[in-house]
Amino acid sequence: MSVTLTPIEDFDLNGVTVNATEPLPAMGPLAQTVIHLVGTAPNKTGVEYNEPIRLYNYSDAMVTLDSVGTREGTLPYVVRYLLQYVKCVLYVTIVEQGEDNAATESNVIGGVDSTTGAYTGLQTIKQCPETPTVIGAPGFSSTALGQELALMGRDVRAVPVIDGPNTTNQAAAEFAAEFGSEGTGEDKLCIIDPWFLKTYDDAQQLMPASIALIAAMANIEGYESPQNQTVVCDDTSRPISYKINDDTTEANFLNKYGVVTIAHTRMGGYSIIGNRANTGRFIAHVGLEDLLARKLEETSQPLMGKLITQQFVTNVVDRLNNWGQDLVANGVIPLFKVFLHPSKNTVDAYTSGKWYLCFNYGRYSPNEHMIYEMSADNGLVETWWENIVDE
């Protein structure tokens, strides 16, 4: 006969239970530089149009972009330039050449295919397996392209780079003046002019200036300025005067009106001259802002759907603070402070599943203008002379 057992309802275990918990995963370092270029390569091999592909090295890139060795299209030479001088993660999207430059640029700008719904041109940047930090379409320069690059840079949090018109300094400044609308990403658009000359295979090629700036950005951290990075070239397509102590030079004019340039300096050779995007924001600050925002977005996805308990809030705040202090320790930023917003964290917000977590951070500015103040001091001379006389 079976007997029904009667348990002690509040009894659990006569012994010890150890529950181990792990803190939230660390947020990790800022993203490495990832370049994404859009252009043409009519003699490509083994890849499709309008699909982001990664190029691992110079040899791999030349086989992929140019099956016959004639370097046709906009991509082969700029990719060659980039990968020969900089080690970086590089993706390209190849588009078809049109019947003329306008048609080709339209393919570069791209959009959404009305039949298949597939992304084309610049829109394929959204499908890149590794989110780019710097984007461009070297060899193309127009207001329409700049606007689309800026929008894409805003949406994926990447720095957009575009070539200037490569005609005159005045034209370059006027080109920069066409951009700057708030909310469109145009305030972070980096414009560079003029183009430069580089010899490949015993022939001098006219190279789009944007690849020089992109290479400079690939050679530094995303929160640093490209100023003074070397441009490996024979010459610029038109001479740009620059003197470190002269505010009337052509380089200073271009910088003043939002154009980065390439000029010969006292260091020898040619260098990037310019710290600012087209509306005056420091490129270093633009890059830092993008990197911080992207890290927050990427590391917050695993937290979605968690209950907003006191312990959860504490863990998130601690994780964010640890990350910020790590950035301070590594010299990325000078200051970092985390806090819950004092007025927006209302009961209504909380019951809607919403809470406000804030942090303030400092930024290092690039060394753009050093001012030395020299004063002859007769008092120092007097002391020196008295010491001599007293001997």
Side-chain angles (χ1 to χ4, degrees):
M1 182 178 68
S2 61
V3 178
T4 301
L5 300 180
T6 305
I8 301 172
E9 296 296 340
D10 61 351
F11 179 84
D12 185 29
L13 168 69
N14 184 354
V16 175
T17 298
V18 177
N19 293 320
T21 60
E22 288 288 331
L24 293 176
M27 295 176 67
L30 299 178
Q32 69 178 134
T33 299
V34 177
I35 308 297
H36 194 139
L37 307 178
V38 180
T40 60
N43 296 319
K44 66 180 178 60
T45 179
V47 296
E48 300 294 327
Y49 286 119
N50 294 302
E51 288 188 8
I53 56 171
R54 182 169 177 174
L55 302 177
Y56 288 90
N57 53 56
Y58 167 66
S59 299
D60 166 62
M62 291 304 99
V63 170
T64 301
L65 299 176
D66 186 11
S67 60
V68 298
T70 56
R71 303 293 187 256
E72 292 183 47
T74 62
L75 286 173
Y77 276 124
V78 298
V79 167
R80 178 176 183 175
Y81 180 89
L82 181 63
L83 293 183
Q84 280 190 319
Y85 299 111
V86 182
K87 291 182 179 180
C88 63
V89 178
L90 172 62
Y91 283 85
V92 298
T93 293
I94 304 171
V95 301
E96 292 188 78
Q97 285 191 171
E99 295 181 356
D100 53 27
N101 289 338
T104 301
E105 184 179 283
S106 179
N107 291 340
V108 168
I109 293 173
V112 180
D113 189 285
S114 59
T115 303
T116 65
Y119 287 136
T120 64
L122 291 177
Q123 292 298 316
T124 63
I125 291 173
K126 296 177 180 177
Q127 297 177 316
C128 189
E130 299 173 80
T131 305
T133 59
V134 180
I135 59 175
F140 298 94
S141 177
S142 72
T143 303
L145 176 66
Q147 290 170 342
E148 291 299 320
L149 271 172
L151 287 170
M152 186 58 57
R154 179 199 65 185
D155 292 346
V156 302
R157 299 196 184 279
V159 179
V161 180
I162 189 171
D163 291 295
N166 194 41
T167 53
T168 66
N169 297 332
Q170 183 67 27
E174 291 174 357
F175 182 65
E178 296 179 17
F179 306 100
S181 300
E182 187 174 349
T184 63
E186 293 178 16
D187 61 319
K188 55 193 276 188
L189 182 65
C190 296
I191 301 167
I192 179 168
D193 199 83
W195 296 23
F196 64 96
L197 301 170
K198 180 77 175 73
T199 299
Y200 286 119
D201 305 321
D202 299 321
Q204 200 169 60
Q205 304 294 328
L206 178 62
M207 301 287 290
S210 61
I211 197 59
L213 183 53
I214 289 169
M217 291 178 173
N219 200 41
I220 57 177
E221 298 293 344
Y223 50 84
E224 295 178 327
S225 174
Q227 168 86 15
N228 269 354
Q229 291 292 304
T230 298
V231 178
V232 182
C233 67
D234 304 337
D235 203 347
T236 49
S237 64
R238 69 177 187 275
I240 299 296
S241 62
Y242 172 73
K243 285 184 67 177
I244 196 170
N245 64 337
D246 187 349
D247 64 3
T248 66
T249 64
E250 292 168 304
N252 202 75
F253 170 82
L254 289 169
N255 285 179
K256 183 178 180 63
Y257 290 100
V259 181
V260 178
T261 192
I262 303 169
H264 197 280
T265 75
R266 290 180 177 178
M267 297 185 300
Y270 290 85
S271 300
I272 296 292
I273 303 297
N275 294 294
R276 299 177 186 250
N278 71 304
T279 58
R281 296 185 65 191
F282 283 125
I283 296 171
H285 291 173
V286 168
L288 175 63
E289 180 183 281
D290 282 342
L291 291 173
L292 294 177
R294 285 174 56 173
K295 177 60 69 173
L296 293 172
E297 293 167 351
E298 292 164 0
T299 57
S300 294
Q301 184 60 54
L303 306 181
M304 296 297 100
K306 302 289 186 183
L307 296 179
I308 310 175
T309 64
Q310 182 175 351
Q311 187 61 55
F312 176 76
V313 171
T314 299
N315 289 344
V316 173
V317 170
D318 287 347
R319 182 179 74 153
L320 185 58
N321 186 59
N322 291 339
W323 172 64
Q325 297 312 317
D326 187 63
L327 295 178
V328 172
N330 285 295
V332 178
I333 55 176
L335 298 166
F336 190 91
K337 179 182 178 181
V338 183
F339 58 98
L340 298 179
H341 198 283
S343 61
K344 292 184 179 180
N345 281 306
T346 63
V347 173
D348 283 346
Y350 176 81
T351 54
S352 298
K354 180 167 57 179
W355 61 300
Y356 294 84
L357 181 60
C358 308
F359 70 86
N360 293 341
Y361 67 97
R363 303 180 297 189
Y364 290 114
S365 292
N367 182 21
E368 186 174 73
H369 185 187
M370 298 177 70
I371 303 171
Y372 293 99
E373 297 191 353
M374 298 171 54
S375 298
D377 190 334
N378 285 335
L380 295 175
V381 176
E382 181 180 1
T383 301
W384 166 76
W385 182 246
E386 288 177 350
N387 288 337
I388 294 176
V389 172
D390 289 343
E391 289 180 0

